[in-house]
Amino acid sequence: MSSHFPEDFTWGTATASYQIEGAFDVDGRGASIWDTFSKTPGKVVNGDTGDQACDHYNRFDEDIAIMKDLGVSAYRFSIAWPRLFPNGDAVREERGFDFYNRLINALVAAGIEPMVTLYHWDLPQALEDKGGWANREVVKAFEDYATACAQAFGDRISTWITINEPWCVSWLGYSNGVHAPGKKDFNLAVAASHHTALAHAAATRAIKKVCPDATVGLTVNMNNIHNESPHDQEVVDFAGLNDSNLNRWWIDAFTTGKYPQNLVDCYGEMLSRVVLPGDEQLLIAAPDFLGINYYCDGFVRSPRPEDKPAIEGGFMPFPQRVDGSSPAHLTNDLTAMGWVVTPEGLGNLVKRVHKDWPSVPYIVITENGSSYDDVKVNGEVIDTKRTAYLVAHLQSLQNAISDGAPVKGYFAWSLLDNFEWAEGYAKRFGIVHVDYQTFERTPKMSFKKYKEIIAANTAI
Ligand code: GBH
């Protein structure tokens, strides 16, 4: 066991535009699908919206000072497409470009590497009005947007992530409808799965055309899927389909141009309708690295008598067994999101990715973190459980790296408490507490622990 992380390991923290920026109607920003969705009654807990969020748009200098104190070498943030192109077309909004130039320059001046995500879920509403990720035209629009970003920021950005969690974009956005745009149609979700894969590859080529030395990756959300009923063939099949749907789809696409065969068979016409001749070549984009967002493992099993009747079909187009369930030995340890805590899964996952996709040169953990119901007492937030979650996951990662897993960086989700999508402000993931009345920032105990780990370059 090596006693430290690698010498050149990248320590970072991550956020996303709509979750922190606020300033929703400032400097010509156009509407995104999350503006529309959050303002639709019943979609977000407490009717919360990102209108103000953490007011990061006006307070980024303070946030950079906090990161400087933390000691991170990199910051992963996303660009709001509708700030640069309010209508999702070719008409630019220079004030949007100015904002990201100010942010990037301030990061560079602070000695923090800016790492950009081009798409973290805030699609210009005008593009959704044409069908969004279910309409193939989005691929060209995304490619043009990527080109414009590379031209504007490529002199200072060396690492790019095209899309954050295309699984969530496709399945939460177009199949179960819990995220914007809130559609519920398997056909649209399968189409979005294909178009996000095409868009990633097209944007990778577009960025490299402008910046040949750029490092470009895709960030996927993954979990190890544990089958607790290995003798039930239906569950075995479901676990395999689930793994292909969540873990394999986008990585197989950009490494081989092919989708997992069990899903090709399962999707049938839903897929063959949207895949055009020549797409296999278009899907391939030689990977520089893979970004992985890891929160917890998944568990599947045969239904038990006490289970509520399964929802017919679930939200994936294959028969679903009980999943996302909490095995008995883990239920006393759920996060505020109701997710299990499975730190060993992070190490296991990076080892699996290294084994199954040897052409991926290296991995960056682009998000990992937890939500708990924090309380501020005498100006302090003693977030013991989040601190324990952080330490346990970093120990697991450190051991996996000693075992040979090629992981070059870790980004804690999230720098700030922020707008947690359909959960609004009710769920806090930050290592820094945000008071949503005053916008005051208070580093939590987990922040202090992370700072120590970064300084020591070890979690063990
Ligand atoms: C990320 O998505 C997002 O990138 C980020 O914006 C967000 O704030 C953060 O996570 C926290 O939510 O129900 O037990 O089966 C997370 C993607 C997909 C991870 C669904 C958890 C369900 C776990 N999530 N998954 S479970």
Side-chain angles (χ1 to χ4, degrees):
M1 286 294 121
S2 152
S3 57
H4 289 87
F5 280 90
E7 211 41 64
D8 58 352
F9 195 74
T10 299
W11 291 107
T13 178
T15 64
S17 45
Y18 190 72
Q19 295 184 272
I20 64 164
E21 287 180 358
F24 76 109
D25 57 354
V26 169
D27 290 342
R29 177 184 177 278
S32 82
I33 54 175
W34 270 96
D35 294 280
T36 309
F37 188 76
S38 66
K39 286 166 193 178
T40 306
K43 299 298 186 190
V44 175
V45 171
N46 297 324
D48 290 340
T49 74
D51 284 2
Q52 269 79 48
C54 305
D55 196 34
H56 171 80
Y57 195 81
N58 298 304
R59 293 167 198 263
F60 67 84
D61 281 321
E62 182 184 349
D63 294 335
I64 291 172
I66 291 170
M67 286 190 269
K68 182 101 186 137
D69 175 44
L70 179 59
V72 287
S73 48
Y75 171 50
R76 172 179 179 243
F77 65 95
S78 76
I79 292 179
W81 187 348
R83 282 199 195 280
L84 306 192
F85 298 94
N87 291 306
D89 56 17
V91 180
R92 293 163 66 100
E93 171 49 78
E94 292 307 328
R95 291 170 293 176
F97 283 88
D98 291 347
F99 168 67
Y100 291 108
N101 275 320
R102 291 198 301 277
L103 174 64
I104 291 167
N105 292 343
L107 286 161
V108 171
I112 297 170
E113 186 202 333
M115 184 197 270
V116 162
T117 302
L118 289 176
Y119 185 75
H120 200 131
W121 305 357
D122 40 4
L123 187 74
Q125 179 62 43
L127 288 175
E128 183 55 40
D129 295 343
K130 298 186 197 166
W133 288 103
N135 178 347
R136 190 175 173 119
E137 283 176 35
V138 76
V139 177
K140 179 72 170 68
F142 188 64
E143 182 183 339
D144 292 346
Y145 162 61
T147 298
C149 288
Q151 286 166 342
F153 311 123
D155 56 337
R156 288 150 294 154
I157 302 295
S158 58
T159 308
W160 303 82
I161 289 159
T162 54
I163 299 177
N164 180 72
E165 299 186 347
W167 182 88
C168 291
V169 172
S170 306
W171 294 96
L172 301 183
Y174 292 88
S175 178
N176 83 343
V178 301
H179 281 183
K183 304 262 169 72
K184 297 183 184 178
D185 183 333
F186 293 153
N187 291 280
L188 300 182
V190 171
S193 297
H194 181 47
H195 298 147
T196 49
L198 285 172
H200 160 68
T204 301
R205 288 187 286 270
I207 294 167
K208 290 188 182 243
K209 202 167 166 192
V210 181
C211 309
D213 297 332
T215 301
V216 187
L218 175 72
T219 278
V220 290
N221 55 302
M222 301 181 82
N223 36 53
N224 307 292
I225 296 164
H226 303 269
N227 182 357
E228 302 197 289
S229 308
H231 303 299
D232 181 334
Q233 190 54 42
E234 282 182 44
V235 181
V236 172
D237 292 345
F238 171 63
L241 287 163
N242 212 5
D243 187 51
S244 292
N245 171 276
L246 174 72
N247 295 322
R248 293 179 52 199
W249 183 267
W250 289 271
I251 313 179
D252 279 6
F254 74 70
T255 53
T256 70
K258 292 190 176 63
Y259 294 123
Q261 192 58 44
N262 58 351
L263 275 188
V264 173
D265 295 343
C266 166
Y267 293 165
E269 274 221 319
M270 287 193 276
L271 183 61
S272 58
R273 256 201 304 274
V274 293
V275 176
L276 305 183
D279 278 3
E280 192 169 318
Q281 280 312 306
L282 292 178
L283 285 170
I284 297 175
D288 289 325
F289 72 101
L290 180 69
I292 297 179
N293 293 351
Y294 178 79
Y295 289 88
C296 62
D297 279 357
F299 297 83
V300 297
R301 58 172 167 80
S302 320
R304 298 171 190 137
E306 68 269 24
D307 288 330
K308 289 183 220 113
I311 304 161
E312 189 57 42
F315 72 93
M316 283 176 262
F318 39 81
Q320 284 180 48
R321 314 312 293 169
V322 175
D323 72 324
S325 57
S326 311
H329 68 286
L330 293 170
T331 42
N332 55 4
D333 197 19
L334 301 181
T335 71
M337 297 293 279
W339 300 345
V340 293
V341 178
T342 50
E344 68 294 340
L346 178 56
N348 292 337
L349 181 62
V350 294
K351 288 192 227 173
R352 181 237 170 140
V353 169
H354 181 45
K355 177 164 126 322
D356 286 2
W357 292 279
S359 69
V360 171
Y362 66 93
I363 294 163
V364 174
I365 304 304
T366 42
E367 288 180 28
N368 171 242
S370 56
S371 173
Y372 288 103
D373 297 326
D374 300 316
V375 276
K376 201 168 153 185
V377 182
N378 299 328
E380 282 198 305
V381 181
I382 309 296
D383 56 338
T384 317
K385 288 187 173 170
R386 182 178 296 98
T387 305
Y389 178 102
L390 174 76
V391 171
H393 283 75
L394 282 172
Q395 289 176 340
S396 168
L397 189 65
Q398 192 170 345
N399 286 331
I401 294 172
S402 323
D403 289 348
V407 183
K408 288 204 180 181
Y410 174 92
F411 289 71
W413 184 270
S414 179
L415 174 66
L416 304 171
D417 288 338
N418 60 44
F419 177 78
E420 178 47 33
W421 307 113
E423 302 294 330
Y425 298 102
K427 296 286 184 284
R428 295 178 178 271
F429 272 89
I431 55 173
V432 175
H433 178 273
V434 175
D435 179 321
Y436 294 114
Q437 257 65 57
T438 63
F439 299 112
E440 188 192 354
R441 275 84 162 129
T442 308
K444 304 178 190 177
M445 183 168 97
S446 53
F447 177 100
K448 289 162 195 160
K449 186 69 195 177
Y450 191 36
K451 181 176 172 171
E452 281 172 26
I453 291 171
I454 293 171
N457 205 34
T458 179
I460 295 174

